[in-house]
Amino acid sequence: MCWSATADLVAGTGIAAIGVVCVARVRRFGDLPLAALPLLLGAHQIIESLVWRSGGGPGAATDAWAAIALPLLPLWVPLGVLLAEPAEVRKRLVVPLAAGLATAAVLSYCLATRTVTAEIRGHTVGYLLDLPRSPLIIAGYLLATVGALLLARDPALRLLGIVAGVGAVVCLLLWREEFVSTWCALAAVASVVLLVWVRRRPQPPAAPRVAVR
């Protein structure tokens, strides 16, 4: 989320461009979900620019924004980390992935059975959805996203986990005060970290050559 429709559109376009570069530089198939995350975040910002321009309320743009933010991200992130990390690390990533699956299932059910509404509040957008046991859902969401990154062996992914955790707290405080929405800045920083991660990934081992006589 950004502080205006224009800011969301500009930020989303820039973040999506980083995502294109990330995907183009992928050397391993297992790295693709995390490399494509900036594309998803960029699309998310662009969708919110439509929410701004519609004046909020329920609607297709609001539903699309909520579908990405709520059930998709807590599943996408831990699955992406698990696929990108080596086999010996994956056992400890099962818990964040299980938390993501459970959280995504509950949030998908809520989106399917209840109406999500957007409200324009000065320089922020608030999204209203009645969630049961919201503290438990938030805990599962954070375990799936931030937790999976912090449990990774790759230092760049652990850095991304720290950035996501600290940045989310700062953005949430500013957003709750209805001062200004800065989630797009967090998405931009996270996308740059992922670009660095993709560029530093080692080449996959070359296939052995077989001599033909």
Side-chain angles (χ1 to χ4, degrees):
M1 297 183 289
C2 263
W3 50 88
S4 69
T6 302
D8 258 321
L9 182 59
V10 171
T13 302
I15 293 168
I18 295 175
V20 171
V21 176
C22 287
V23 170
R25 295 185 69 96
V26 165
R27 301 183 181 115
R28 299 168 181 262
F29 180 77
D31 294 345
L32 187 57
L34 280 184
L37 183 57
L39 279 174
L40 182 64
L41 296 176
H44 201 217
Q45 301 297 147
I46 294 171
I47 289 170
E48 190 175 67
S49 72
L50 301 177
V51 176
W52 278 101
R53 296 186 189 282
S54 68
T62 300
D63 290 340
W65 186 95
I68 294 173
L70 299 180
L72 187 53
L73 280 177
L75 186 57
W76 189 299
V77 174
L79 181 60
V81 175
L82 185 141
L83 291 174
E85 287 288 279
E88 61 268 21
V89 182
R90 291 176 183 171
K91 287 184 179 179
R92 66 189 187 208
L93 295 170
V94 170
V95 173
L97 179 59
L101 284 167
T103 302
V106 172
L107 290 173
S108 295
Y109 174 79
C110 290
L111 286 177
T113 58
R114 302 169 191 187
T115 300
V116 58
T117 303
E119 288 185 353
I120 307 298
R121 304 169 182 171
H123 294 292
T124 67
V125 181
Y127 293 88
L128 305 177
L129 178 64
D130 183 25
L131 295 176
R133 303 182 182 274
S134 55
L136 187 59
I137 293 175
I138 293 171
Y141 194 105
L142 293 175
L143 176 59
T145 52
V146 178
L149 292 166
L150 292 177
L151 287 173
R153 189 175 71 177
D154 191 294
L157 294 183
R158 293 200 303 271
L159 173 62
L160 180 58
I162 295 171
V163 168
V166 174
V169 171
V170 173
C171 291
L172 180 61
L173 291 175
L174 293 173
W175 176 78
R176 290 188 65 177
E177 293 297 322
E178 298 183 9
F179 175 65
V180 67
S181 183
T182 53
W183 294 99
C184 56
L186 174 58
V189 173
S191 298
V192 171
V193 174
L194 282 170
L195 177 59
V196 173
W197 171 75
V198 170
R199 294 182 65 179
R200 292 181 176 178
R201 293 291 280 169
Q203 289 277 6
R209 295 183 179 181
V210 179
V212 179
R213 296 180 180 179

